[in-house]
Amino acid sequence: LEAAVMCFLENGYHQTGVRDIATRAGVSLGNLYNHFPSKHDVLVEIAGLERDELAPFLKILAKTSPALKVLDKFVTAYAKYLAAPENVILSIEITSEAIRKPDIADLFLENRDLLTSSLTSVLSRGAADGDLRPLSDPSDTAQLILELIEGSAARSMLSGVPMRKILGGVRDFISAAVSPPDTAV
C-alpha cells in the first residue's frame, strides 16, 4: 500500500500501473495480484487507511470541552493534516477516481460522513449549551466547514502560501459563522 501511495503521488493514479506498484514494493507481479486483484482493490484498501487516519480528528470532536474550543482545535489540527502536500495530491487523485467509480466514492464518502456526523454533533451540542449560535442545519454547516478547510489546504499548496498563514483567517471565519451573535469575532 505504501508503494502504491508513493506511485500515485509521483505519477498519478491513472498513470500508475500494477507493475509499477509491484516494482516499487519490491515484489513480483504475481505476489501483488495475490493480495490485490487490481489497482482498484488497492484504492479500496487506501479508503480503509484513510478511516484510520481520521481517528485523531474524531477523538478531538468527541471531547466535551466547550464546543468553540473543540471546534477550534479540530480546525487547526485537520487543516494542518490536509495541507501536507502528499495529502492534497492523494485527495485530488482519489476524488478524480471516485467521480468515475461510484463504489470508490461510497467508501470515501463513508469516511467523510463519520467526520461530518461528529462535527455536526459538536455544533448541535454547542448550540444547545449556548456556546454556539443555533443553526438551521448543523449538518450543512459541518459540510461547509469541512469544505472550507479542504479548499484552503489545496489553495495553500497551489499558491505556495503556508497553511499557517491561511489558517488564522479560516479559524476567524468559522468562529464568526458559529459564535452567538453577541460574541462573534
Side-chain angles (χ1 to χ4, degrees), residues 1-183:
L1 288 175
E2 288 176 19
V5 167
M6 292 308 297
C7 288
F8 298 161
L9 289 172
E10 292 171 2
N11 306 313
Y13 178 80
H14 286 288
Q15 291 74 28
T16 297
V18 177
R19 186 175 306 279
D20 299 321
I21 297 169
T23 300
R24 180 74 177 244
V27 299
S28 70
L29 194 54
N31 191 21
L32 182 65
Y33 278 122
N34 284 335
H35 295 282
F36 302 103
S38 71
K39 186 170 66 166
H40 180 88
D41 294 303
V42 171
L43 206 49
V44 168
E45 281 297 316
I46 290 172
L49 291 176
E50 181 192 52
R51 183 176 300 241
D52 295 342
E53 288 188 0
L54 292 179
F57 309 110
L58 295 171
K59 187 175 179 179
I60 291 169
L61 292 170
K63 293 198 183 280
T64 57
S65 312
L68 197 54
K69 285 185 178 188
V70 170
L71 183 59
D72 189 58
K73 186 172 182 178
F74 166 76
V75 168
T76 301
Y78 195 53
K80 288 179 181 177
Y81 165 78
L82 288 179
E86 62 273 13
N87 292 336
V88 173
I89 294 167
L90 195 57
S91 176
I92 291 168
E93 290 294 331
I94 289 169
T95 300
S96 174
E97 187 61 12
I99 289 168
R100 295 179 187 91
K101 306 282 188 198
D103 64 317
I104 294 296
D106 290 343
L107 292 170
F108 285 95
L109 286 172
E110 283 177 25
N111 293 343
R112 175 66 179 266
D113 289 346
L114 281 173
L115 203 55
T116 303
S117 176
S118 294
L119 184 52
T120 299
S121 293
V122 170
L123 296 173
S124 296
R125 180 178 53 80
D129 293 347
D131 192 30
L132 302 179
R133 75 174 58 228
L135 301 164
S136 59
D137 190 336
S139 181
D140 280 350
T141 302
Q143 288 282 1
L144 290 170
I145 289 170
L146 293 174
E147 290 166 9
L148 175 61
I149 299 167
E150 292 162 357
S152 296
R155 180 172 58 106
S156 169
M157 185 177 164
L158 288 172
S159 68
V161 176
M163 188 64 187
R164 62 181 159 64
K165 289 192 175 187
I166 296 171
L167 187 56
V170 169
R171 290 169 58 210
D172 288 349
F173 182 84
I174 292 170
S175 178
V178 300
S179 294
D182 57 340
T183 62

